[in-house]
Amino acid sequence: MNDIKKSKYTAEEIMMGIFLIGMSLILFTQILIRVFTGRALTWAEELARYFYVWSVFLSIGCTIANKTILKVDLLLNIFSFKIQKIIYAFLDFLNFLLYAFLSYQAVSVVLKVKVGHQLSPAMEIPMYIVYLIVPVGFAIASIRSAQQIYLRLTENNLKSDSQSLQEKE
C-alpha cells in the first residue's frame, strides 16, 4: 500500500497519457492527410474517440487516488480533523460501494454487447472490447476508493484533504 502512495505515477495515469498522446497524434495525422491529400483516414476519428473514452474512465481512479475528485466539503470543514477523517472514510466507503456496483452492472452490459456480435463502424473491431473500459474503469475506481479508506484510517496525521493537496503543490 505504501508503494502505491509513494509512486510518482500510477499505471492508469501512464495509460491515460499513452491514450491522450495517441489520440493527439492520430488527430494531427488525420488533419495533415486531409490538408495535403484531400482525403481522410476512415478509422482515425473512431480510434481517437475510443482513446478519449478510455482515458476518461481511467481518470476516475486517478482522481480518487490523488484526492482531486469533485466534492463539496463546505460543511465538513466545521468538524474537527478526527471527525472529518471518519466522515471521509465513510464517504469513501459509499464511493467504493457505488463503483463496485457500477462495475458489476457494466459487466452484464459488456456481455450483452459481446453476444450481439456488434462491430465498430470504421475499424470493425468487436464493440465489447470498446465497452470493456466501463467495468475496468469502475473496478479501478472501487479499488482506489478502498485504498483511500485504508490510507485515511491508518494515517497518523490529521490533515484534511484540502491541506494535503496544498502540500503536494
Side-chain angles (χ1 to χ4, degrees), residues 45-63:
E45 291 178 21
E46 183 175 293
L47 183 59
R49 186 178 320 117
Y50 296 154
F51 280 1
Y52 177 73
V53 169
W54 275 65
S55 66
V56 166
F57 275 95
L58 288 174
S59 72
I60 299 169
C62 292
T63 59

Side-chain angles (χ1 to χ4, degrees), residues 137-155:
F138 286 137
I140 290 171
S142 64
I143 291 168
R144 292 296 184 191
S145 294
Q147 287 175 340
Q148 285 302 311
I149 294 167
Y150 173 80
L151 291 173
R152 283 187 202 283
L153 296 178
T154 59
E155 279 180 336

Side-chain angles (χ1 to χ4, degrees), residues 28-167:
F28 180 70
T29 304
Q30 171 78 327
I31 290 168
L32 290 178
I33 290 174
R34 277 188 184 175
V35 167
F36 293 115
T37 67
R39 297 181 177 201
L41 300 172
T42 57
W43 53 269
E45 291 178 21
E46 183 175 293
L47 183 59
R49 186 178 320 117
Y50 296 154
F51 280 1
Y52 177 73
V53 169
W54 275 65
S55 66
V56 166
F57 275 95
L58 288 174
S59 72
I60 299 169
C62 292
T63 59
I64 293 169
N66 295 326
K67 296 181 182 178
T68 55
I69 194 161
L70 184 63
K71 61 185 168 221
V72 180
D73 58 1
L74 180 66
L75 293 177
L76 289 176
N77 291 334
I78 65 172
F79 296 109
S80 70
F81 290 131
K82 265 187 178 179
I83 301 295
Q84 283 183 20
K85 189 176 183 177
I86 294 167
I87 292 171
Y88 276 122
F90 177 72
L91 293 174
D92 287 335
F93 180 70
L94 291 179
N95 278 341
F96 169 78
L97 292 177
L98 172 68
Y99 293 130
F101 174 76
L102 290 173
S103 180
Y104 176 77
Q105 293 298 317
V107 168
S108 66
V109 171
V110 171
L111 292 175
K112 287 177 186 174
V113 171
K114 185 176 181 180
V115 169
H117 303 292
Q118 182 182 358
L119 299 176
S120 67
M123 296 173 33
E124 296 184 357
I125 60 172
M127 285 303 291
Y128 78 90
I129 294 173
V130 176
Y131 279 68
L132 271 176
I133 191 55
V134 179
V136 168
F138 286 137
I140 290 171
S142 64
I143 291 168
R144 292 296 184 191
S145 294
Q147 287 175 340
Q148 285 302 311
I149 294 167
Y150 173 80
L151 291 173
R152 283 187 202 283
L153 296 178
T154 59
E155 279 180 336
N156 291 330
N157 60 352
L158 296 176
K159 295 178 184 169
S160 69
D161 280 356
S162 57
Q163 286 177 329
S164 62
L165 280 176
Q166 288 172 354
E167 287 178 2

